[in-house]
Each structure stands twice: as C-alpha cells, then as structure tokens.
Amino acid sequence: MGTATAARYGASWRNWAGNITASPARVVAPASVGEVQEAVRRAAEDGLRVKAVGTGHSFTAAAATDGVMVRPQALTGILGVDRAAGTVTVAAGTALKDLNRALAAEGLSLANMGDIMEQTVSGAVSTGTHGTGRDSASLAAQLRGLEMVTADGRLLACSEKENPEVFAAARVGLGALGITTALTFAVEPLFHLTAREEPMRFDRVTAEFDEHVAENEHFEFYWFPHTGNCNTKRNNRSQGPAAPPGPVSAWIEDELLSNGVFQAANSLGRAVPAAIPAIARVASRALSARTYTDIPYKVFTSPRRVRFVEMEYALPREHAVGALRELKAAVDRSRLRISFPVEVRTAPADDIALSTAEGRETAYIAVHMYRGTPYQAYFTAAERIFTAHGGRPHWGKVHTRGAEYLAAAYPRFGEFTALRDRLDPDRLFGNDYLRRVLGG
C-alpha cells in the first residue's frame, strides 16, 4: 500500500455537530482513484464494510462505519472544464468553498447552492444538499455525470447517456451504491445576484408566501420562535456591478450578530432556558433591511460557526404554510424554549429517485437546536407535523423514519433498492443508518 493510503487503526471519528461518533477498524486516505479501488477490494477481502466520509456536516450516521473509513481529502481539485458543454468535472473530495472559488477564477458559477460551503462535493450531493430556488434546484440536480467505484472494484461512469439507470439514482446515492470519485456539474458564466434582506411579520410572510416564491428567483425566510418576527431574503440576478456590504456592516451582520452575539445568546439560553423568548424578541428586532450585490457564492453562502443539530423535512409546497403555522402553534402552547430560527426554502420538482424534491414542487422547513441542548422533544413535535403532511426527511439531518415510511414517501424507492441489490448485493457499503432507511 502506498503512503497516501497508509491505514490508521483505532482512530475515532466525530461529526461537525458532535452528535455522531464512529470507531472504524482502519482509516485510509487515497491519493488516486486506483487507491480507492484498492481500498474497496482490500475491505472486501478482509470482510469489512467500507464508507467514504467528507467533512462530517451530516447530522445522521450516513457515513459512519466500524469497517474501513475512506477520507477523500487528497482527491481534490478541478479535473476538467468544458466551456462548450458548460460543464466542470471535479474530484469528489473537493470542498464546496474551494470549488466555488476555483469556478469564480475561471469566470464560472453553479446556478444554485446551499448556505454552507464547508462540505465536500460528494458528501453534499449524495445526501441531497440544496439551497432555495424557484427554477434552479439542488446540487444533485445540477450534475451531468459522475464516476464511482462499485463493490467489485470497478470504476463506473454514469450520465444520462452512459449507465443512465445508475445516474438516475446515484446522484442522491447516500453512499449506498459505491464511492464517488468525480462529479461533473453544469456551470454557467459568472453572474451577479442582488440580495435584499428584510424583516417581515410571520402573518404577512406566510400569507404572501406563494407570491414571494413566484416573484423571486431565490426566496427564503427565517421565523424566530416565541415571536411573530421573520427575516426574509430575496436573491435575484442583476447586471451588477458588485456592491457587497461594507466591511463594518458585513462584520456586524455576518460575524457579530450571526456568529459572535448569536453564540453568546445561545450559550445564555442553554444555561437559562427561561431567558430564550426575551432573547428571541430582542434578536429578531435587531435585524434591519439591507441590499447588496455580489457573485453567487458570496450571496448564497455565509459562515456558520455556531454549532447546532438540525432536522429538515421536504413538504409538498402547497402544504408548507399550513405545517409552519401548526409548528408555531405547537411551540406557542408548549414549554419548549427554541433559540434558533426556523428556516423555510423551496425547490422545483426534479427527477432523481431519492431526491427530496422528486416529482413535486417542494418547500423545506428546517428546525435547529444549539449543540448540547436537548432537542428530542422539539424535533419529535416538529416531525409529527411534517410527516402528517407527507414530508420527506433530509437524508443528512436528524429524523426517525425507517424504510417502511420512506418507501411510501418515494414513488421510486423500489427502483433505488433494486439497483442497490444489483450493485452491492453483499452490502459492502452498508451501515446501520442505511439498514434503517433502505431496509435489509
């Protein structure tokens, strides 16, 4: 074995939020696709299961293993740019932040992205990571091809033309079909977005939700529990030029309020839960409207240094407002104390077998709790509401659903599990999480 894949024994692993741990038998860091294939073959020979893990930004145990843990940090960088086709191929271990910066240097951009860019591209895609968009969808829906190492050690190329039945499922593959080594994304010439952030009352934003979604390319809002206050964000393409927030304004909004003061407020709330409603009222009133223009990743994403645990469900878009009003009523009548805002985003329907937006216009409702705060009561109450509305849980965020529920929620669930039976009949890429959500 080369030095790049030298095994480390007995290493323990913990995810970003600290709610998931694993103790793999060995950890390997392949420096080439050939070394990924070697790691998979050796795992099979040794009777060990094998999983790739990125930066640990999932809140589920999707990547946890007691077998061989593959760390793809050495598999990074842009592998090819095809300007005629409008695509970029990137190694699977590349962090989204590095991809975004490299694309910008090439005068290119993804059409849409989530609000965090610490994840590896393969981890983000395989769990269905998304932003918000009226017309442009998740990262997986922007894929035009991928390569992965399958259980027999082969490198399999997939696209709409090559192994299309695998491509239809593997874009949101949960790590169940193989280890992704490269991804090809659709990209476009770099453009500008103008963001308008504006506080708005809960009753107004929910009454006008469909209107806001229809009128804006990217609309989202945050509701502050224990208040009737929300903050809205509209992102729309503009001619530019870039007019980012001034350094002082940016520091106050993005560092002081979103990270520094927010961290202190959450720490106080964890120590003195009774103070949380008052903190929420002050925090939600401190927000002011602002408008700025920049290249996409600087508008879509923001630093998130306050650690939390999250549950997010994808609902049919027409059910989102009703579910959110039920959640607000449940919080208002409970003794729960919630210090994190609730996030609401949208996505168009797509055609990926296990995408949370497969076959339907979708709205996402995400609930968060500060790390180290008991979250079960709140998440249980929220999940009861979301599932009553036909919700599909985000694959990388806390949920309690199993294969029986998910098979009913996804019309193409059987298509995915049949493909898994064909590509990985011995469950080399299996783990406890996949057994729960996909069945035996």
Side-chain angles (χ1 to χ4, degrees):
M1 224 199 240
T3 54
T5 57
R8 289 186 286 118
Y9 294 86
S12 61
W13 172 85
R14 180 181 297 269
N15 70 338
W16 179 81
N19 67 314
I20 302 291
T21 58
S23 298
R26 64 175 180 255
V27 179
V28 297
S32 68
V33 173
E35 291 184 359
V36 176
Q37 292 174 290
E38 181 187 352
V40 169
R41 290 191 195 107
R42 281 204 60 202
E45 289 168 5
D46 295 343
L48 296 172
R49 296 184 297 182
V50 57
K51 299 295 296 178
V53 64
T55 54
H57 264 266
S58 284
F59 302 91
T60 65
T65 186
D66 57 3
V68 178
M69 180 172 279
V70 176
R71 306 300 304 267
Q73 297 99 320
L75 298 173
T76 59
I78 288 181
L79 304 176
V81 178
D82 187 336
R83 292 181 185 275
T87 61
V88 167
T89 301
V90 59
T94 308
L96 282 166
K97 60 185 177 185
D98 296 329
L99 173 61
N100 285 329
R101 290 165 186 153
L103 286 176
E106 294 277 354
L108 299 168
S109 178
L110 296 169
N112 198 359
M113 60 195 78
D115 59 2
I116 295 175
M117 58 176 185
E118 299 300 316
Q119 312 99 308
T120 61
V121 290
S122 55
V125 165
S126 66
T127 53
T129 296
H130 61 90
T132 190
R134 180 189 62 203
D135 310 305
S136 54
S138 69
L139 288 169
Q142 295 172 64
L143 275 189
R144 295 297 175 265
L146 63 88
E147 291 183 352
M148 67 179 181
V149 175
T150 53
D152 56 8
R154 284 184 306 142
L155 183 65
L156 189 68
C158 310
S159 67
E160 289 181 352
K161 295 179 180 176
E162 196 172 9
N163 297 302
E165 78 291 351
V166 179
F167 186 63
R171 284 175 285 172
V172 179
L174 315 183
L177 304 177
I179 294 182
T180 303
T181 55
L183 301 128
T184 298
F185 289 94
V187 292
E188 56 185 286
L190 194 63
F191 55 93
H192 285 95
L193 285 173
T194 293
R196 172 155 180 81
E197 298 175 6
E198 180 186 7
M200 195 176 289
R201 294 290 293 171
F202 179 92
D203 290 343
R204 179 185 165 193
V205 74
T206 50
E208 298 175 355
F209 179 65
D210 288 336
E211 189 180 314
H212 291 304
V213 172
E215 291 176 356
N216 296 281
E217 291 174 81
H218 309 275
F219 176 71
E220 64 187 309
F221 71 94
Y222 299 82
W223 163 58
F224 293 82
H226 313 297
T227 79
N229 301 328
C230 297
N231 196 35
T232 63
K233 186 177 182 184
R234 307 170 178 89
N235 298 330
N236 290 288
R237 295 190 185 215
S238 69
Q239 294 301 308
V248 174
S249 164
W251 182 81
I252 289 172
E253 288 282 345
D254 299 327
E255 290 299 332
L256 183 64
L257 295 180
S258 296
N259 286 300
V261 170
F262 192 50
Q263 174 80 55
N266 275 281
S267 296
L268 173 61
R270 185 169 64 186
V272 189
I276 286 175
I279 295 170
R281 286 191 291 273
V282 171
S284 61
R285 288 194 199 115
L287 297 165
S288 56
R290 64 172 180 164
T291 302
Y292 52 94
T293 300
D294 217 324
I295 60 175
Y297 83 84
K298 294 184 178 181
V299 174
F300 284 130
T301 71
S302 53
R304 290 280 188 270
R305 281 185 273 281
V306 181
R307 301 207 178 200
F308 54 85
V309 178
E310 180 178 359
M311 168 184 282
E312 181 179 64
Y313 265 75
L315 308 182
R317 208 180 79 197
E318 64 273 17
H319 289 209
V321 167
L324 189 64
R325 287 172 175 156
E326 288 175 40
L327 181 64
K328 183 177 187 298
V331 170
D332 287 348
R333 66 174 176 260
S334 75
R335 301 180 66 181
L336 296 169
R337 295 293 175 260
I338 315 302
S339 61
F340 256 82
V342 173
E343 183 178 27
V344 181
R345 296 178 287 176
T346 69
D350 66 41
D351 64 349
I352 303 166
L354 291 188
S355 166
T356 46
E358 195 279 324
R360 68 189 193 192
E361 295 280 320
T362 296
Y364 296 93
I365 303 179
V367 297
H368 312 69
M369 285 290 270
Y370 184 48
R371 187 174 73 168
T373 305
Y375 61 83
Q376 285 82 358
Y378 177 37
F379 284 13
T380 298
E383 191 171 39
R384 192 174 294 128
I385 293 167
F386 300 154
T387 54
H389 287 276
R392 298 169 177 168
H394 189 299
W395 298 107
K397 298 178 184 178
V398 174
H399 68 93
T400 66
R401 299 299 91 182
E404 184 179 359
Y405 177 91
L406 295 164
Y410 285 92
R412 296 168 64 189
F413 188 86
E415 175 187 327
F416 186 95
T417 54
L419 181 65
R420 185 191 188 204
D421 288 342
R422 176 160 72 82
L423 291 179
D424 186 17
D426 298 325
R427 304 296 187 254
L428 182 66
F429 302 114
N431 64 7
D432 292 344
Y433 177 75
L434 292 179
R435 187 180 304 111
R436 187 186 105 205
V437 299
L438 298 178

